[in-house]
Amino acid sequence: MGRSSSRGKIIEAAEKVVARVGAAHLTLDAVAEEAGVSKGGLLYHFKSKDELIKAILHEHINAKITAMEEQKRLAQSENCSELEAHLKGIINSLCGDCCDRETGVALLAVIANNPGLMEPFEEYFEKMVQQICGKKSDFNAEAAILWLATEGIRFHYLLNRDPFDATQRDQVIAKLLELGRDISPKP
């Protein structure tokens, strides 16, 4: 990722430690050592392990959103509907640096044990629901179903437990995109 700020270097170091030993075994001492900063320097930026884990989650979500937005921009240049562009963005953002399975699985395990760390995900889901499914007054249930399906694909990818072979997965994705085209007007 190549972050230049001390805070960014600490987050990057924490991600490396999480990938190596798991988020449950993350220690501030190990992160400070990995980042090449004093523990006091780390504590200046992050007052606790939970605060550091939330920062890692924000980084992962922001990387995912950036990758998704880039894919969405590419899809829109192909004259896709807004919904279809979102779906393509989510599906195509699965591959790449923003989807480190080891770190993602380790973070999921920590969140399962400490639901208070869900805040970054709650913010992300709220944003996605409004962008893809609409607000309460113009909620689109069909778009919601398609979005939930893409999130299911993402979850299975993260866990490396795809229930489909490559051909079946491609068929599912093609059908999702087809349904997205069918329920949305072209721009």
Side-chain angles (χ1 to χ4, degrees):
M1 291 179 195
R3 299 177 185 102
S4 60
S5 72
S6 294
R7 180 180 169 83
K9 287 179 184 176
I10 292 168
I11 293 170
E12 188 171 347
E15 290 170 340
K16 289 177 183 176
V17 172
V18 166
R20 195 169 51 243
V21 301
H25 301 291
L26 175 82
T27 66
L28 296 180
D29 289 326
V31 173
E33 183 178 329
E34 180 77 33
V37 301
S38 68
K39 188 170 180 183
L42 184 146
L43 289 169
Y44 174 79
H45 294 286
F46 304 99
K47 305 296 182 221
S48 68
K49 177 180 168 178
D50 284 354
E51 193 175 306
L52 181 55
I53 290 172
K54 279 187 181 181
I56 296 170
L57 293 171
H58 275 290
E59 285 290 319
H60 277 267
I61 290 167
N62 289 338
K64 201 169 291 304
I65 288 171
T66 299
M68 188 187 72
E69 290 296 327
E70 176 61 19
Q71 291 297 326
K72 182 180 162 189
R73 187 188 62 71
L74 292 171
Q76 285 174 325
S77 71
E78 299 168 5
N79 202 30
C80 294
S81 69
E82 179 79 7
L83 174 61
E84 185 182 5
H86 269 290
L87 296 174
K88 279 187 173 186
I90 291 169
I91 291 164
N92 292 335
S93 70
L94 288 175
C95 301
D97 292 338
C98 68
C99 291
D100 176 8
R101 281 187 177 124
E102 292 81 15
T103 303
V105 169
L107 292 170
L108 281 175
V110 168
I111 291 167
N113 290 315
N114 186 351
L117 296 174
M118 279 296 294
E119 180 185 325
F121 285 109
E122 290 167 354
E123 293 169 4
Y124 165 75
F125 290 138
E126 183 178 322
K127 180 180 179 181
M128 289 298 102
V129 166
Q130 287 184 4
Q131 284 183 355
I132 297 170
C133 310
K135 297 187 178 170
K136 288 184 181 192
S137 62
D138 64 344
F139 182 76
N140 183 332
E142 291 170 318
I145 292 166
L146 296 177
W147 174 65
L148 289 170
T150 60
E151 288 298 317
I153 291 169
R154 184 193 324 248
F155 187 71
H156 282 279
Y157 176 85
L158 176 67
L159 295 178
N160 201 21
R161 297 287 185 248
D162 195 340
F164 307 114
D165 65 33
T167 301
Q168 292 169 326
R169 184 181 50 258
D170 289 346
Q171 290 173 346
V172 169
I173 289 170
K175 188 62 173 178
L176 279 170
L177 295 174
E178 178 187 326
L179 292 169
R181 277 190 301 276
D182 290 348
I183 67 171
S184 296
K186 289 285 184 198

